[in-house]
Amino acid sequence: MLLTLRKQSPMLEAGRSRRVWLAGSCLALSAIALGALFHTEVAGAYAVWVSSTAYNHCFLILPVAAYLAWVRRGALAGLKPQPDFRVLILLLPLSLLWLMAAMLSVLEAQQLLVVTMFQVMAFAVLGAGIYRAMLAPFLYLYFLVPSGYFLVPYLQSFTAWFTVMGLQLVHIPVFWDGTIIQIPAGTFIVAEACAGLRFLIASVAFGVFFAALMYRSWVRWLIFVALSIVVPIIANGLRAFGLLVLAEISGSATMIMADHIIYGWGFFTFVTFVLILIGKALADRDDDAHESKRLPAHEGAVPQAWKIALVAILGFSLAAVGPAYAQMLGWRAAAIDLVAAPPPGMDASWQKVSWDVGWKPVIVAPDRESFELFADESARVARYMALYVTAGLHNNLARGQNQLADFERWHIAGGGRARAKVGGKDVTVDATKIERNGRQLLVWDFYVIDGEIIAGRTEAKLTQLRGLFSKQSPIAAFVAVAADNSDPTHPAAAVLARFLEDMPPLGPHLQTLAGSR
């Protein structure tokens, strides 16, 4: 009997090896199928990697994840796939959450949900043992999602505040207005590129990779990742503070700012080196000790091949529920054509004029847009309106990529909320001051959803989300109006308030467009 068992051992080992390769192949095919099913999310992520320097490092995520898996390969010895049908049930709510995110066009949330669905499928196909052994490389795949852009305004505000506090500490006279900082040497703006997002995201990705290689202790892992978040934020504030001090000392703001990017990357390289030294000091792992340490082998029979394949097929089918339902909803949107939709009228006291305003919002793929310039006896106003069919999958009304202005030319000088009267109703609108070459505009913007005026992108998304479960008008709008904020005799806020009060109600206009098609 003992002899028989010994003869079967190589066969069992070969069977286990074949099942591991089969499970890996099924998972790879599932990843390709998910990529094809959610091609919009994949294409969107790739476009951001290419176009944004803050996310160029994403091209390294897959090779880094593969390396993390390679150094843990020894942990797979003795393990066999244990397909788990039970966890597949998680894919249905994830797919429905994806549907909600897709209907609201929250691309970042869609991408995060797609990666999460892949995680569930990996767990289901490989089983708990193999997934746990490869947990670090699997979770590292979340860095494929270009997320974090929403942090830019907060990073800008913190950098400006940190810089001003430093300048006051060294007794340099300073005037501070939002992201605009004035000192005797000149006027400086904490632009988006100076917010430190690029280095923060790269630092976090590096910190997680470094921690996965160096630490066994979750406490040390969390400490180092926290340092990878806090240190670059503070370092960016120190960089901005140092540049302004140098500008004040040298008396040449132009010379300092011309080379500030070079100074910045040199400084951040030094900061990364310091982080590595700190990380090495906290290390609790010998150089030759890797996650390749073998785990105890699981008892039980090697699973049949059909079970592994069936788990992958069922997983993909459940993940496809959301996209299938979205396609059905898209048929309603396809029947609405806004190409020839006329813009809303205006009170006779406002006449269309020509005006070199130099401003226009940068909006993603509206179904119809209009840009008109008006003037009355004392002031001029620019009105932009973007119409969207919100019943289908490609709803871009409140996308994060929508910008109130071309921020390569304009800079935000301040913001908040304002009260106005639109269509006879008191409403709240977003108010933003934008500046370019010493010229300042005041821009009020809002959304029109199901006839209601909504201020703020988040509020608009929540309103749309509620509309998924009720009958809502399929046409919504984004409206922005701008006036010159440099004329004290005609305050821009008063001009815009008067203009909006003279504008006819927008809800009936949108309902007419929806009903006529």
Side-chain angles (χ1 to χ4, degrees), residues 385-403:
M385 178 177 290
L387 301 180
Y388 289 94
V389 179
T390 58
L393 180 61
H394 303 293
N395 172 18
N396 296 311
L397 176 67
R399 282 190 66 167
Q401 288 83 354
N402 290 343
Q403 296 182 343

PDB file of all heavy atoms in Angstrom, residues 385-403:
ATOM      1  N   MET A 385     -24.189  76.733 -22.380  1.00  0.00           N
ATOM      2  CA  MET A 385     -25.109  75.675 -21.979  1.00  0.00           C
ATOM      3  C   MET A 385     -24.761  74.384 -22.715  1.00  0.00           C
ATOM      4  O   MET A 385     -24.563  74.387 -23.933  1.00  0.00           O
ATOM      5  CB  MET A 385     -26.561  76.060 -22.270  1.00  0.00           C
ATOM      6  CG  MET A 385     -27.562  74.952 -21.920  1.00  0.00           C
ATOM      7  SD  MET A 385     -29.285  75.431 -22.186  1.00  0.00           S
ATOM      8  CE  MET A 385     -29.493  76.617 -20.883  1.00  0.00           C
ATOM      9  N   ALA A 386     -24.665  73.286 -21.960  1.00  0.00           N
ATOM     10  CA  ALA A 386     -24.427  71.957 -22.531  1.00  0.00           C
ATOM     11  C   ALA A 386     -25.615  71.073 -22.195  1.00  0.00           C
ATOM     12  O   ALA A 386     -26.016  70.976 -21.029  1.00  0.00           O
ATOM     13  CB  ALA A 386     -23.141  71.353 -21.973  1.00  0.00           C
ATOM     14  N   LEU A 387     -26.203  70.464 -23.222  1.00  0.00           N
ATOM     15  CA  LEU A 387     -27.339  69.562 -23.031  1.00  0.00           C
ATOM     16  C   LEU A 387     -26.879  68.122 -23.115  1.00  0.00           C
ATOM     17  O   LEU A 387     -26.011  67.775 -23.930  1.00  0.00           O
ATOM     18  CB  LEU A 387     -28.408  69.819 -24.099  1.00  0.00           C
ATOM     19  CG  LEU A 387     -29.013  71.227 -24.164  1.00  0.00           C
ATOM     20  CD1 LEU A 387     -30.054  71.298 -25.268  1.00  0.00           C
ATOM     21  CD2 LEU A 387     -29.607  71.618 -22.823  1.00  0.00           C
ATOM     22  N   TYR A 388     -27.471  67.273 -22.283  1.00  0.00           N
ATOM     23  CA  TYR A 388     -27.107  65.852 -22.245  1.00  0.00           C
ATOM     24  C   TYR A 388     -28.360  64.987 -22.196  1.00  0.00           C
ATOM     25  O   TYR A 388     -29.327  65.314 -21.494  1.00  0.00           O
ATOM     26  CB  TYR A 388     -26.266  65.531 -21.013  1.00  0.00           C
ATOM     27  CG  TYR A 388     -24.864  66.093 -21.053  1.00  0.00           C
ATOM     28  CD1 TYR A 388     -24.590  67.328 -20.462  1.00  0.00           C
ATOM     29  CD2 TYR A 388     -23.831  65.402 -21.658  1.00  0.00           C
ATOM     30  CE1 TYR A 388     -23.308  67.856 -20.489  1.00  0.00           C
ATOM     31  CE2 TYR A 388     -22.553  65.916 -21.682  1.00  0.00           C
ATOM     32  CZ  TYR A 388     -22.302  67.138 -21.099  1.00  0.00           C
ATOM     33  OH  TYR A 388     -21.030  67.653 -21.121  1.00  0.00           O
ATOM     34  N   VAL A 389     -28.305  63.891 -22.922  1.00  0.00           N
ATOM     35  CA  VAL A 389     -29.305  62.843 -22.765  1.00  0.00           C
ATOM     36  C   VAL A 389     -28.806  61.923 -21.657  1.00  0.00           C
ATOM     37  O   VAL A 389     -27.769  61.273 -21.803  1.00  0.00           O
ATOM     38  CB  VAL A 389     -29.501  62.051 -24.074  1.00  0.00           C
ATOM     39  CG1 VAL A 389     -30.528  60.941 -23.868  1.00  0.00           C
ATOM     40  CG2 VAL A 389     -29.935  62.974 -25.203  1.00  0.00           C
ATOM     41  N   THR A 390     -29.521  61.888 -20.553  1.00  0.00           N
ATOM     42  CA  THR A 390     -29.032  61.175 -19.366  1.00  0.00           C
ATOM     43  C   THR A 390     -29.628  59.782 -19.213  1.00  0.00           C
ATOM     44  O   THR A 390     -29.362  59.107 -18.224  1.00  0.00           O
ATOM     45  CB  THR A 390     -29.352  61.981 -18.100  1.00  0.00           C
ATOM     46  OG1 THR A 390     -30.764  62.196 -18.011  1.00  0.00           O
ATOM     47  CG2 THR A 390     -28.637  63.323 -18.127  1.00  0.00           C
ATOM     48  N   ALA A 391     -30.443  59.344 -20.167  1.00  0.00           N
ATOM     49  CA  ALA A 391     -31.085  58.040 -20.023  1.00  0.00           C
ATOM     50  C   ALA A 391     -30.156  56.903 -20.406  1.00  0.00           C
ATOM     51  O   ALA A 391     -30.382  55.766 -20.018  1.00  0.00           O
ATOM     52  CB  ALA A 391     -32.351  57.983 -20.883  1.00  0.00           C
ATOM     53  N   GLY A 392     -29.130  57.166 -21.171  1.00  0.00           N
ATOM     54  CA  GLY A 392     -28.269  56.100 -21.659  1.00  0.00           C
ATOM     55  C   GLY A 392     -27.022  55.906 -20.836  1.00  0.00           C
ATOM     56  O   GLY A 392     -26.853  56.469 -19.754  1.00  0.00           O
ATOM     57  N   LEU A 393     -26.122  55.076 -21.359  1.00  0.00           N
ATOM     58  CA  LEU A 393     -24.916  54.707 -20.639  1.00  0.00           C
ATOM     59  C   LEU A 393     -23.889  55.829 -20.639  1.00  0.00           C
ATOM     60  O   LEU A 393     -23.208  56.061 -19.642  1.00  0.00           O
ATOM     61  CB  LEU A 393     -24.315  53.444 -21.268  1.00  0.00           C
ATOM     62  CG  LEU A 393     -23.038  52.910 -20.646  1.00  0.00           C
ATOM     63  CD1 LEU A 393     -23.280  52.531 -19.191  1.00  0.00           C
ATOM     64  CD2 LEU A 393     -22.525  51.703 -21.410  1.00  0.00           C
ATOM     65  N   HIS A 394     -23.767  56.530 -21.752  1.00  0.00           N
ATOM     66  CA  HIS A 394     -22.716  57.535 -21.877  1.00  0.00           C
ATOM     67  C   HIS A 394     -23.239  58.902 -21.427  1.00  0.00           C
ATOM     68  O   HIS A 394     -23.505  59.796 -22.227  1.00  0.00           O
ATOM     69  CB  HIS A 394     -22.210  57.583 -23.325  1.00  0.00           C
ATOM     70  CG  HIS A 394     -21.706  56.263 -23.803  1.00  0.00           C
ATOM     71  ND1 HIS A 394     -20.585  55.676 -23.286  1.00  0.00           N
ATOM     72  CD2 HIS A 394     -22.199  55.403 -24.723  1.00  0.00           C
ATOM     73  CE1 HIS A 394     -20.379  54.512 -23.883  1.00  0.00           C
ATOM     74  NE2 HIS A 394     -21.345  54.331 -24.753  1.00  0.00           N
ATOM     75  N   ASN A 395     -23.415  59.036 -20.134  1.00  0.00           N
ATOM     76  CA  ASN A 395     -23.932  60.262 -19.539  1.00  0.00           C
ATOM     77  C   ASN A 395     -22.758  61.066 -18.994  1.00  0.00           C
ATOM     78  O   ASN A 395     -22.171  60.705 -17.976  1.00  0.00           O
ATOM     79  CB  ASN A 395     -24.919  59.898 -18.426  1.00  0.00           C
ATOM     80  CG  ASN A 395     -25.352  61.105 -17.625  1.00  0.00           C
ATOM     81  OD1 ASN A 395     -25.197  62.245 -18.058  1.00  0.00           O
ATOM     82  ND2 ASN A 395     -25.876  60.859 -16.449  1.00  0.00           N
ATOM     83  N   ASN A 396     -22.410  62.139 -19.673  1.00  0.00           N
ATOM     84  CA  ASN A 396     -21.231  62.922 -19.308  1.00  0.00           C
ATOM     85  C   ASN A 396     -21.569  64.206 -18.563  1.00  0.00           C
ATOM     86  O   ASN A 396     -20.714  65.075 -18.429  1.00  0.00           O
ATOM     87  CB  ASN A 396     -20.439  63.276 -20.577  1.00  0.00           C
ATOM     88  CG  ASN A 396     -19.891  62.046 -21.272  1.00  0.00           C
ATOM     89  OD1 ASN A 396     -19.283  61.195 -20.642  1.00  0.00           O
ATOM     90  ND2 ASN A 396     -20.125  61.943 -22.575  1.00  0.00           N
ATOM     91  N   LEU A 397     -22.792  64.331 -18.067  1.00  0.00           N
ATOM     92  CA  LEU A 397     -23.232  65.588 -17.478  1.00  0.00           C
ATOM     93  C   LEU A 397     -22.323  66.064 -16.354  1.00  0.00           C
ATOM     94  O   LEU A 397     -21.944  67.231 -16.308  1.00  0.00           O
ATOM     95  CB  LEU A 397     -24.671  65.437 -16.951  1.00  0.00           C
ATOM     96  CG  LEU A 397     -25.237  66.651 -16.219  1.00  0.00           C
ATOM     97  CD1 LEU A 397     -25.416  67.819 -17.180  1.00  0.00           C
ATOM     98  CD2 LEU A 397     -26.556  66.301 -15.539  1.00  0.00           C
ATOM     99  N   ALA A 398     -21.985  65.180 -15.436  1.00  0.00           N
ATOM    100  CA  ALA A 398     -21.222  65.596 -14.248  1.00  0.00           C
ATOM    101  C   ALA A 398     -19.890  64.868 -14.156  1.00  0.00           C
ATOM    102  O   ALA A 398     -19.449  64.499 -13.076  1.00  0.00           O
ATOM    103  CB  ALA A 398     -22.056  65.353 -12.989  1.00  0.00           C
ATOM    104  N   ARG A 399     -19.238  64.688 -15.280  1.00  0.00           N
ATOM    105  CA  ARG A 399     -17.942  64.012 -15.279  1.00  0.00           C
ATOM    106  C   ARG A 399     -16.878  64.880 -14.627  1.00  0.00           C
ATOM    107  O   ARG A 399     -16.886  66.105 -14.733  1.00  0.00           O
ATOM    108  CB  ARG A 399     -17.501  63.680 -16.708  1.00  0.00           C
ATOM    109  CG  ARG A 399     -18.204  62.473 -17.280  1.00  0.00           C
ATOM    110  CD  ARG A 399     -17.596  62.030 -18.582  1.00  0.00           C
ATOM    111  NE  ARG A 399     -16.238  61.541 -18.416  1.00  0.00           N
ATOM    112  CZ  ARG A 399     -15.572  60.874 -19.360  1.00  0.00           C
ATOM    113  NH1 ARG A 399     -16.140  60.629 -20.520  1.00  0.00           N
ATOM    114  NH2 ARG A 399     -14.352  60.465 -19.147  1.00  0.00           N
ATOM    115  N   GLY A 400     -15.936  64.209 -13.974  1.00  0.00           N
ATOM    116  CA  GLY A 400     -14.854  64.937 -13.316  1.00  0.00           C
ATOM    117  C   GLY A 400     -13.954  65.663 -14.289  1.00  0.00           C
ATOM    118  O   GLY A 400     -13.281  66.633 -13.922  1.00  0.00           O
ATOM    119  N   GLN A 401     -13.917  65.214 -15.557  1.00  0.00           N
ATOM    120  CA  GLN A 401     -13.064  65.861 -16.551  1.00  0.00           C
ATOM    121  C   GLN A 401     -13.644  67.172 -17.055  1.00  0.00           C
ATOM    122  O   GLN A 401     -12.955  67.944 -17.734  1.00  0.00           O
ATOM    123  CB  GLN A 401     -12.824  64.920 -17.747  1.00  0.00           C
ATOM    124  CG  GLN A 401     -11.908  63.762 -17.439  1.00  0.00           C
ATOM    125  CD  GLN A 401     -12.636  62.604 -16.789  1.00  0.00           C
ATOM    126  OE1 GLN A 401     -13.811  62.713 -16.463  1.00  0.00           O
ATOM    127  NE2 GLN A 401     -11.953  61.489 -16.599  1.00  0.00           N
ATOM    128  N   ASN A 402     -14.919  67.430 -16.783  1.00  0.00           N
ATOM    129  CA  ASN A 402     -15.514  68.711 -17.174  1.00  0.00           C
ATOM    130  C   ASN A 402     -14.875  69.840 -16.379  1.00  0.00           C
ATOM    131  O   ASN A 402     -14.769  69.761 -15.152  1.00  0.00           O
ATOM    132  CB  ASN A 402     -17.020  68.692 -16.937  1.00  0.00           C
ATOM    133  CG  ASN A 402     -17.750  67.775 -17.897  1.00  0.00           C
ATOM    134  OD1 ASN A 402     -17.209  67.384 -18.932  1.00  0.00           O
ATOM    135  ND2 ASN A 402     -18.974  67.418 -17.565  1.00  0.00           N
ATOM    136  N   GLN A 403     -14.448  70.884 -17.058  1.00  0.00           N
ATOM    137  CA  GLN A 403     -13.766  71.997 -16.407  1.00  0.00           C
ATOM    138  C   GLN A 403     -14.491  73.309 -16.706  1.00  0.00           C
ATOM    139  O   GLN A 403     -14.999  73.514 -17.811  1.00  0.00           O
ATOM    140  CB  GLN A 403     -12.315  72.100 -16.887  1.00  0.00           C
ATOM    141  CG  GLN A 403     -11.464  70.897 -16.507  1.00  0.00           C
ATOM    142  CD  GLN A 403     -10.026  71.046 -16.963  1.00  0.00           C
ATOM    143  OE1 GLN A 403      -9.717  71.866 -17.815  1.00  0.00           O
ATOM    144  NE2 GLN A 403      -9.145  70.243 -16.396  1.00  0.00           N
TER     145      GLN A 403
END
